[in-house]
Amino acid sequence: MTVSATEAPLDVVADFPAIPDGWAYLDTAATAQKPRAVIDAIARGYDTTYATVHRGVYQRSADMTLAYEAARGTVARFVGAKPDEIVFVRGATEGINLVANSWAANQLKAGDRILLSQLEHHSNIVPWQMVAERVGAAIDVVPLTDDHRIDLDAMAAMIRPEHKLVALAHVSNVLGSVLDVERACTIAHSVGAHILIDGCQAVARLPVDVAALGCDFYVFSGHKLYGPTGIGVLWARGELLDAMPPYQGGGSMIDRVSFERTTYAPAPTRFEAGTPHIVGALGLAAAVDYVTGIGLSRIHAHETALVADARAALSRINSLRLFGPADSAGIVSFALQGVHPHDIGTILDEHRVAIRAGHHCAQPLMGVLGVEATARASFGVYNGAADIDALVAGMERVVRIFG
Ligand code: PMP
């Protein structure tokens, strides 16, 4: 079947050597494929320019330190932050654990409460449960609206001064629902709570400016932003970061060490113990340059058009249930009555269509949706109408097999 062309095609698939002709890669929400520019930046980093950072007295190390810090600057500009507010971490998961262990473990006490939502990824649930258990805090959960957004009216009604921290996804990795972050921040701050935004699915799909959003912490992973794995970002408002104790101890994060007393380096160095993922930072900066070169607004328009086309085509399939709001950002989750999503994924793979099937690290959300698992197609800059055609053709085969 033919699907209408998207309104804003990007046509950049040739930049991605790992996407062969005719392979519909629809699992970008799990991890994005890498453009040549990122692969080249990583290769260059390990090639003639490689050396450690921050320690070396020789020129190569000084140059690498400049490049590593320049990468921090690139990432800072990308999200409207100051370079000193950018901590390089392993990924969103480590960023959230850092805030939980450094900020929350010291700020929260017995009787305090943490507010999450029903659609959070496990990495924005479990670290808070661990710290809540340690300090004797409790967790409350904001429900979803009928069209599967975080219900901010419900949040406004349930929040109270005992809530010291709110942690919400900017874009749901299952549903694609986009949070009105500014409103969520206003609600959180109305009771004096701090708010962390999990931007894992957002930074590659929408323009993000942390100052304009008004949040206190923002985290994301490089590998979902067309960059390398093993590198991610924690942004925190400068004064919060300055007051936070170290998360891990080790080399680089110190001022002076003696057996009697150790003092720590200022932020962000205080939070980057050990030799960092040097080349990962360079690859991440190349990824930021790549998406900035296309333009986040164009990427958003492109993916919104793909979602609209995919939802329209899938909704014509009998017994197919679509989840999430119509204007979701780049992600479409669905289920077919009587067919396990793993079977959908396997049959689609035979059609050279790669989707994700499972609970997507959001088991509580599966309970809310009333399913064990969903099938999820998620889009990136390289996808186009042909990928949706392939998805729909594959789904029609699934229906023929199980129908
Ligand atoms: N939050 C969201 C919304 C995600 O989609 C993911 C990755 N699926 C994460 C957090 C965790 O990211 P990572 O595994 O890269 O740390």
Side-chain angles (χ1 to χ4, degrees):
M1 83 177 277
T2 307
V3 175
S4 68
T6 63
E7 286 160 31
L10 288 181
D11 203 17
V12 294
V13 68
D15 295 344
F16 291 82
I19 305 183
D21 263 1
W23 189 48
Y25 182 70
L26 298 178
D27 200 17
T28 296
T31 197
Q33 295 293 339
K34 314 306 168 200
R36 174 58 67 196
V38 168
I39 298 166
D40 287 350
I42 295 168
R44 259 195 323 276
Y46 282 122
D47 201 329
T48 49
T49 63
Y50 187 67
T52 193
V53 291
H54 296 152
R55 295 183 185 87
V57 290
Y58 48 92
Q59 190 60 43
R60 176 82 75 82
S61 175
D63 290 345
M64 196 50 132
T65 303
L66 285 178
Y68 180 73
E69 291 305 324
R72 196 189 304 280
T74 300
V75 170
R77 277 191 301 283
F78 178 58
V79 292
K82 301 187 189 95
D84 284 355
E85 298 172 333
I86 298 293
V87 181
F88 283 129
V89 288
R90 205 157 48 81
T93 302
E94 190 178 48
I96 296 169
N97 277 279
L98 194 163
V99 176
N101 284 281
S102 169
W103 185 84
N106 287 286
Q107 295 293 324
L108 270 59
K109 53 184 187 331
D112 286 342
R113 309 185 79 83
I114 297 170
L115 194 55
L116 309 175
S117 89
Q118 285 181 330
L119 59 65
E120 299 310 316
H121 187 280
H122 296 166
S123 41
N124 201 25
I125 298 174
V126 183
W128 306 121
Q129 289 176 322
M130 290 163 71
V131 73
E133 197 168 328
R134 241 161 79 197
V135 303
I139 290 179
D140 297 307
V141 185
V142 181
L144 305 187
T145 59
D146 290 345
D147 67 346
H148 300 155
R149 300 170 200 276
I150 298 174
D151 187 340
L152 293 181
D153 291 334
M155 175 182 167
M158 67 196 286
I159 199 161
R160 46 198 172 95
E162 289 78 14
H163 288 116
K164 294 295 188 285
L165 182 86
V166 178
L168 302 173
H170 193 166
V171 170
S172 158
N173 67 307
V174 179
L175 305 162
S177 335
V178 182
L179 177 69
D180 178 348
V181 176
E182 286 179 53
R183 183 164 176 227
C185 292
T186 304
I187 297 169
H189 291 152
S190 71
V191 296
H194 285 67
I195 177 163
L196 175 141
I197 299 297
D198 170 0
C200 239
Q201 298 295 342
V203 283
R205 305 182 185 285
L206 327 155
V208 169
D209 181 323
V210 287
L213 291 175
C215 54
D216 299 296
F217 305 101
Y218 197 97
V219 296
F220 58 94
S221 297
H223 70 100
K224 293 179 202 269
L225 181 59
Y226 307 96
T229 51
I231 185 96
V233 171
L234 161 66
W235 169 83
R237 274 197 294 113
E239 67 271 25
L240 287 176
L241 211 52
D242 285 345
M244 281 161 56
Y247 167 48
Q248 294 178 333
S252 291
M253 50 74 75
I254 53 88
D255 170 33
R256 277 201 81 77
V257 177
S258 72
F259 283 110
E260 290 70 40
R261 180 164 178 266
T262 291
T263 52
Y264 305 118
T269 315
R270 178 160 75 247
F271 301 103
E272 294 181 5
T275 305
H277 189 359
I278 304 165
V279 174
L282 307 188
L284 177 57
V288 165
D289 287 341
Y290 180 77
V291 291
T292 309
I294 296 173
L296 265 296
S297 299
R298 271 182 78 203
I299 294 173
H300 185 53
H302 170 77
E303 293 187 6
T304 304
L306 288 173
V307 164
D309 285 352
R311 289 181 72 95
L314 290 171
S315 67
R316 289 194 278 274
I317 294 173
N318 262 347
S319 323
L320 188 141
R321 189 174 157 208
L322 281 168
F323 302 101
D327 63 350
S328 77
I331 296 171
V332 179
S333 257
F334 55 94
L336 200 56
Q337 182 101 43
V339 186
H340 196 284
H342 285 160
D343 291 329
I344 295 178
T346 305
I347 294 166
L348 289 180
D349 188 40
E350 289 166 10
H351 279 249
R352 306 191 68 212
V353 176
I355 61 146
R356 177 82 175 265
H359 55 64
H360 316 291
C361 298
Q363 286 179 351
L365 174 60
M366 296 299 114
V368 172
L369 300 177
V371 291
E372 281 290 311
T374 76
R376 179 188 70 185
S378 57
F379 301 111
V381 291
Y382 28 65
N383 293 121
D387 298 318
I388 299 175
D389 284 348
L391 170 67
V392 173
M395 285 307 297
E396 285 169 346
R397 169 124 187 280
V398 174
V399 171
R400 281 199 299 279
I401 291 172
F402 286 93

